Amino acid sequence: MKEIADIIEGELRQGIPVEITEYSIDSRSIITPEHTLFFALKGNNHNGHDYIQTLYSDGIRAFVISEYRAEFDHLPEANFILVKDVLTALQQLAAFHRQQSRAEVIGITGSNGKTVVKEWLYQLLANDHAVYRSPRSYNSQVGVPLSLLGIDTKADIAIIEAGISQKGEMQRLQHMIRPDIGIFTHLGDAHDENFSSREEKLAEKARLFTTCRWVIGQAGNVMQFIRTQVPTTTSFFTWSEEIEADVQVQTVNIALDHREVKVTHGQQSFTLDIPFADIASFENCMNAVCVLLLKKYAPEIIVSRVAQLSAIAMRLEIKEGINNCTLVNDYYNSDPSSFQLALNILATQDTSKERVVILSDFMDSGKEADDLYPSIAETLRQANVSLFIGIGKHLSDHRHDFAPNSRFYEDTEHFLRQEERENFKDQVILIKGARVFQFEFIAGFLQKQSHGTILEVDLDAMVHNLNHFRSLTDAHIAVMVKAFSYGSGSREIASLLQYHRVDYLMVAFADEGIELRAAGITIPIAVMNPEREAFDNMVMFNLEPEIYALDILEDFNRSLAKHGIKRFPVHIKLNTGMNRSGFDERDLPRLLDFFRSERSVYIRSIFSHLAGSDETIHDKFTLGQIQLFERMTEHIQARFDYKIWRHILNSAGIERFPQYHFDMVRLGIGLHGISATNAPLQPVSSFKTYISSIREVPEGQSIGYGRKSFTTRPSRIAVITVGYADGLNRHLSNRVGHVFVKGKRVPIIGNICMDTCMIDVTDTDATIGDEVEIFGKHIPVTELAEQLGTIPYEILTGISHRVKRVYYKE
Ligand SMILES: *Cc1c(COP(=O)(O)O)cnc(C)c1O
């Protein structure tokens, strides 16, 4: 700690001696607390200092802080390093660590392709080098230092991604990374809005290269410009298909799924067979190949390794498994740091289910097996994993390090032959293995079978939207998760929201709340329509009722008294103009009378609901509602000596009436990417299916039931496996609705059937098995709603439960 304090120029307050091997910024994902140094960052949404006491009780003894709080006096064993700025300290430590490392550092920047180039370079180099690479896409001001701190003493090459979105950021990254070799992947339009010109953005990115010996990239204007931004001593190594460059490339053949290119460099000339046809893969591959050429790899080796490049799954998938299991699939890379990340994600899943980990041997740990596997076993114990299944020779050899109930198999085939599906039930299962083990077969074995129509839920987009709303308000945030979280799923979404520390969840009915409690949700839950039959359960499961009438309040209070419970929180609903439910102003005297004597309930909040918060034509009415709300709530509050929270805004209200956030806001549709003000939200749900068959139909033929559509030319008509029973509205029949397939919008033709419908794919090269989007990133759900004369809420909540929800996260 002394040494670290010196490096980061902080003031040390010593506790017990600790040995630091891990660094963390996230209080929720710490695996070996006694060896972790926690950096208490202050972000827009969280302040790390708030979690120090909890972390201390979890066993963490080392903290970097920027404010010393009196309460820390009660943590006698803790070591604190007090610095001016915690992020700067993290970056200083990372810079120091990188300087100590003997690894040659390859720094990658550009708008797209960073992660692919990084992973491919890894695939190309790992046979001959101990290669370290940043986990996933850790490339930000926080991600880069954490990446660098992971470089171990064995590594001789470290590949680090650098991503920026604003001016001034690259300089800080450059100070830490100091790459020996730089790669510029591609200049796109991401983050243009933060720069006055493309040149300014490029100049910022080029800063990464100021200490490079070599810079690699595609020859052209971008490279020319980068040359003007770096010292003249920097060497460039470029490739091009069009202009003169160090490596001359010529595409000789593009087939469906691969591309052959002829490469000429000096005297050498050879043909690469890249196992991808698209242009982005070609560019990414050439940038990686340049590194091999610089390192004087022989052409035969380059050719054979490139032929084996494999696709990079950028996302980890969370899927519904058999027998009520949840699968976390992550089987594209295999190293201890990505294992750690996958375990963190496992920790965010339904906590009522048992945790199972299926893991293959690590192909590239950089650590000796005798050190590695005992530490993996320890990590599993800390993460409360109740069943471990190891696949591969190394794991089998180390079976004695693991818990006695663990099971081991030589390879995936033996697993599939000997395990039964019935062995897996009510569990969350992490499936994590190196590619050679082909764990996709295990995932297939454990995955719930479905008819191929899915609602894909992008959890990163959801978190982005949550953070957008957070940036608008200082108030507490309640998220409405009624109706299966607007169709996107209840347990998974509630777990995500709990992990991201929202303050309240609100459901429509008590049974929805009970389901969330059963899934391990512990944050407060309010129930909007409390039914009398559910009162006992609500008390038992700590579900707080919304009270909209006096008789309900009396009955609920009686129920509490029966259980001998005091101070149970309730939420009083006021009617200010919606005229649906709630106390009117004239009801207040009776309500207050009720509280004259000692009661078992206590009022946690008073709230009301706006009838037209999304439309300017109603603004006068809305302000009237708010004014009445203020008057009524002041009247109530005056009668209590404790503070009662107030809230009135839904999503549109949060965006449009920032002066009325009061103590809490209630976020609903905004979380799903729908904004009343065109705010930069991201679409969350995509409704997708696939083409199950295609038929050639001559001109003038009718299609489907009722003969409502006719072909007007020789046509290709595809069947997709989604119908009105899945939630595809039948009013979209007969060319009213469109779907997105193979980069184009095509019309629905004929009447929509119960389980299928037909689309006209004549103008596309669509084939059987192609994915079809009904709504999502290409066809906004708002557009569909407009077409049907309804609101997105109805479409989202109308997707049938038989449609499997699939969750994605980068
Ligand atoms: C559903 C609901 C909300 C959220 O509304 P959105 O328009 O989806 O943001 C807020 N408050 C109450 C009482 C609700 O029922």
Side-chain angles (χ1 to χ4, degrees):
M1 287 299 285
K2 247 207 178 84
E3 201 186 335
I4 293 174
D6 284 344
I7 297 163
I8 64 179
E9 297 168 70
E11 189 187 314
L12 177 64
R13 224 206 63 173
Q14 245 163 334
I16 57 160
V18 285
E19 189 197 55
I20 301 299
T21 55
E22 309 289 330
Y23 305 92
S24 175
I25 56 151
D26 185 343
S27 62
R28 298 160 299 199
S29 55
I30 291 171
I31 308 271
T32 47
E34 63 279 19
H35 297 306
T36 298
L37 175 59
F38 180 78
F39 286 81
L41 293 176
K42 286 184 190 170
N44 291 335
N45 306 314
H46 304 296
N47 181 346
H49 293 77
D50 296 342
Y51 306 112
I52 287 179
Q53 277 188 307
T54 318
L55 288 168
Y56 184 86
S57 45
D58 294 343
I60 299 199
R61 293 294 177 266
F63 304 91
V64 177
I65 55 173
S66 59
E67 62 183 81
Y68 191 85
R69 297 182 180 175
E71 72 223 37
F72 300 162
D73 282 343
H74 307 297
L75 314 176
E77 294 186 356
N79 295 272
F80 290 99
I81 303 177
L82 183 66
V83 294
K84 273 206 211 64
D85 180 66
V86 176
L87 179 61
T88 307
L90 176 68
Q91 296 184 340
Q92 278 170 318
L93 188 62
F96 175 84
H97 187 80
R98 183 261 177 270
Q99 290 295 337
Q100 300 300 301
S101 157
R102 64 183 188 92
E104 178 178 47
V105 175
I106 302 177
I108 307 179
T109 193
S111 307
N112 316 96
K114 295 187 286 292
T115 305
V116 175
V117 174
K118 177 186 72 185
E119 293 296 327
W120 278 356
L121 261 179
Y122 171 77
Q123 292 180 10
L124 295 169
L125 293 168
N127 270 354
D128 327 287
H129 292 275
V131 184
Y132 172 84
R133 64 207 196 278
S134 18
R136 295 193 193 279
S137 39
Y138 272 28
N139 62 28
S140 65
Q141 296 294 318
V142 178
V144 167
L146 291 175
S147 294
L148 290 167
L149 285 166
I151 300 178
D152 54 37
T153 48
K154 296 225 173 60
D156 63 2
I157 294 181
I159 314 174
I160 305 292
E161 268 183 59
I164 56 148
S165 55
Q166 285 179 36
K167 240 180 117 142
E169 288 184 331
M170 191 58 94
Q171 186 151 6
R172 297 185 75 160
L173 299 186
Q174 191 276 332
H175 277 309
M176 287 182 274
I177 305 172
R178 300 188 156 268
D180 303 298
I181 297 177
I183 301 178
F184 190 85
T185 56
H186 184 90
L187 185 68
D189 51 14
H191 307 300
D192 272 358
E193 69 282 5
N194 295 340
F195 294 90
S196 60
S197 66
R198 273 288 169 91
E199 262 185 15
E200 188 188 74
K201 184 169 84 170
L202 186 52
E204 181 66 34
K205 293 191 186 233
R207 280 175 179 272
L208 178 63
F209 305 130
T210 48
T211 54
C212 285
R213 271 182 294 117
W214 286 99
V215 176
I216 290 171
Q218 183 174 9
N221 295 338
V222 169
M223 272 295 140
Q224 280 306 337
F225 180 82
I226 292 176
R227 275 178 207 268
T228 66
Q229 303 291 306
V230 298
T232 48
T233 47
T234 314
S235 305
F236 281 73
F237 194 70
T238 57
W239 62 273
S240 176
E241 215 173 357
E242 279 141 22
I243 58 175
E244 200 180 316
D246 301 290
V247 179
Q248 222 59 59
V249 192
Q250 193 196 343
T251 298
V252 280
N253 181 29
I254 304 181
L256 205 58
D257 57 358
H258 65 124
R259 174 189 291 246
E260 279 168 56
V261 297
K262 188 162 168 245
V263 177
T264 312
H265 170 50
Q267 303 304 315
Q268 298 170 327
S269 186
F270 52 92
T271 302
L272 290 177
D273 189 0
I274 305 172
F276 300 91
D278 65 290
I279 183 97
S281 297
F282 163 62
E283 291 181 7
N284 292 333
C285 179
M286 286 318 302
N287 283 322
V289 164
C290 281
V291 175
L292 270 65
L293 287 170
L294 257 188
K295 292 190 168 295
K296 309 242 179 311
Y297 270 66
E300 325 67 273
I301 295 186
I302 299 179
V303 170
S304 86
R305 295 214 180 140
V306 164
Q308 291 164 31
L309 285 178
S310 57
I312 308 302
M314 310 283 289
R315 327 187 273 187
L316 162 154
E317 299 172 328
I318 301 166
K319 286 193 164 163
E320 212 178 313
I322 47 164
N323 308 330
N324 194 32
C325 288
T326 303
L327 309 182
V328 179
N329 295 340
D330 185 6
Y331 34 70
Y332 288 88
N333 47 27
S334 135
D335 55 273
S337 61
S338 71
F339 178 58
Q340 195 76 251
L341 287 172
L343 273 185
N344 295 344
I345 287 164
L346 189 69
T348 67
Q349 299 303 306
D350 191 338
T351 50
S352 68
K353 294 185 178 174
E354 245 186 84
R355 262 122 244 281
V356 178
V357 170
I358 305 178
L359 180 73
S360 79
D361 285 354
F362 288 106
M363 304 309 285
D364 48 291
S365 66
K367 257 192 187 175
E368 297 304 330
D370 289 342
D371 293 341
L372 177 65
Y373 291 109
S375 83
I376 294 292
E378 175 60 18
T379 308
L380 291 167
R381 205 182 53 75
Q382 305 247 10
N384 283 323
V385 170
S386 43
L387 173 62
F388 175 70
I389 299 180
I391 297 183
K393 188 167 174 326
H394 293 303
L395 276 165
S396 300
D397 287 350
H398 286 85
R399 60 171 66 219
H400 301 297
D401 295 327
F402 292 85
N405 71 334
S406 305
R407 303 201 277 265
F408 295 88
Y409 299 97
E410 219 170 288
D411 54 29
T412 302
E413 206 183 316
H414 280 85
F415 170 94
L416 293 172
R417 238 186 274 154
Q418 289 167 32
E419 290 281 347
E420 311 247 339
R421 284 212 167 115
E422 275 42 56
N423 299 348
F424 301 91
K425 192 163 179 257
D426 299 323
Q427 294 158 328
V428 188
I429 309 172
L430 170 65
I431 303 175
K432 169 95 187 145
R435 276 197 75 78
V436 291
F437 284 91
Q438 300 197 302
F439 271 17
E440 51 274 28
F441 288 107
I442 296 183
F445 176 73
L446 296 175
Q447 187 181 319
K448 189 166 169 178
Q449 303 306 319
S450 80
H451 63 135
T453 301
I454 59 167
L455 187 76
E456 195 179 278
V457 181
D458 181 342
L459 297 178
D460 294 319
M462 193 172 265
V463 171
H464 168 90
N465 298 339
L466 174 65
N467 285 337
H468 173 76
F469 280 89
R470 274 209 164 115
S471 74
L472 302 181
T473 185
D474 291 327
H476 293 97
I477 294 199
V479 178
M480 314 307 292
V481 293
K482 58 196 181 195
F484 208 50
S485 293
Y486 293 50
S488 64
S490 50
R491 291 174 163 227
E492 295 79 2
I493 302 305
S495 298
L496 181 82
L497 294 168
Q498 168 163 286
Y499 182 75
H500 286 278
R501 303 181 201 278
V502 307
D503 301 286
Y504 258 90
L505 296 176
M506 295 198 180
V507 295
F509 299 99
D511 52 358
E512 297 174 340
I514 293 169
E515 177 173 354
L516 295 185
R517 289 286 183 242
I521 301 296
T522 53
I523 59 176
I525 299 176
V527 177
M528 290 190 297
N529 305 287
E531 300 134 300
R532 282 189 177 73
E533 310 77 71
F535 281 178
D536 286 345
N537 267 336
M538 292 181 57
V539 174
M540 184 145 67
F541 290 103
N542 226 342
L543 305 171
E544 306 169 13
E546 295 194 7
I547 302 291
Y548 52 84
L550 196 55
D551 53 339
I552 299 178
L553 183 60
E554 288 165 350
D555 290 351
F556 190 70
N557 191 66
R558 215 167 290 130
S559 195
L560 289 170
K562 187 178 81 190
H563 291 279
I565 288 173
K566 287 250 148 47
R567 286 184 67 75
F568 194 93
V570 300
H571 306 265
I572 302 285
K573 185 168 199 181
L574 306 179
N575 177 33
T576 55
M578 176 88 169
N579 291 320
R580 180 172 65 176
S581 56
F583 292 90
D584 286 322
E585 193 168 27
R586 62 170 182 272
D587 302 328
L588 291 189
R590 288 186 56 217
L591 173 67
L592 292 172
D593 268 355
F594 172 83
F595 284 100
R596 266 172 200 239
S597 45
E598 179 78 17
R599 297 298 184 182
S600 298
V601 294
Y602 104 103
I603 307 180
R604 182 79 232 236
S605 80
I606 332 175
F607 73 106
S608 186
H609 197 32
L610 297 173
S613 66
D614 55 339
E615 291 176 304
T616 36
I617 48 162
H618 303 305
D619 281 358
K620 207 163 150 238
F621 181 81
T622 300
L623 290 169
Q625 274 196 283
I626 295 172
Q627 208 174 36
L628 175 58
F629 179 67
E630 286 189 294
R631 194 166 73 222
M632 288 168 76
T633 52
E634 272 159 29
H635 187 63
I636 297 172
Q637 177 69 75
R639 291 283 301 273
F640 294 86
D641 55 8
Y642 55 86
K643 158 106 175 140
I644 302 174
W645 289 3
R646 298 189 291 171
H647 47 107
I648 192 167
L649 299 182
N650 65 343
S651 306
I654 304 170
E655 294 184 81
R656 300 193 57 241
F657 300 95
Q659 63 278 45
Y660 298 114
H661 287 166
F662 298 109
D663 304 294
M664 185 152 82
V665 294
R666 301 189 304 270
L667 178 60
I669 197 86
L671 187 69
H672 302 272
I674 290 154
S675 164
T677 61
N678 276 323
L681 301 180
Q682 296 175 3
V684 168
S685 293
S686 302
F687 192 16
K688 289 182 173 173
T689 187
Y690 69 96
I691 294 180
S692 60
S693 66
I694 296 182
R695 167 185 310 277
E696 308 280 340
V697 182
E699 186 180 336
Q701 299 271 317
S702 69
I703 306 289
Y705 282 126
R707 308 194 60 220
K708 287 287 189 288
S709 297
F710 287 78
T711 50
T712 55
R713 55 181 175 171
S715 304
R716 295 174 70 227
I717 304 299
V719 178
I720 59 177
T721 51
V722 58
Y724 55 78
D726 297 295
L728 181 65
N729 193 304
R730 198 164 167 280
H731 291 115
L732 295 165
S733 299
N734 302 313
R735 300 198 168 92
V736 174
H738 288 74
V739 298
F740 190 83
V741 54
K742 275 283 171 112
K744 281 206 179 105
R745 281 174 181 238
V746 303
I748 295 174
I749 182 165
N751 274 328
I752 292 172
C753 314
M754 189 183 290
D755 309 310
T756 58
C757 73
M758 278 74 88
I759 60 176
D760 181 351
V761 294
T762 314
D763 294 328
T764 72
D765 57 357
T767 53
I768 293 176
D770 279 345
E771 185 177 272
V772 177
E773 175 189 298
I774 295 134
F775 66 75
K777 306 229 172 325
H778 303 98
I779 300 187
V781 63
T782 42
E783 181 187 319
L784 209 57
E786 215 160 290
Q787 232 173 3
L788 289 165
T790 182
I791 48 177
Y793 302 68
E794 188 184 354
I795 295 184
L796 290 173
T797 56
I799 311 251
S800 156
H801 280 236
R802 82 175 187 189
V803 173
K804 190 162 65 162
R805 271 67 177 169
V806 177
Y807 302 91
Y808 281 110
K809 191 170 165 56
E810 195 169 286

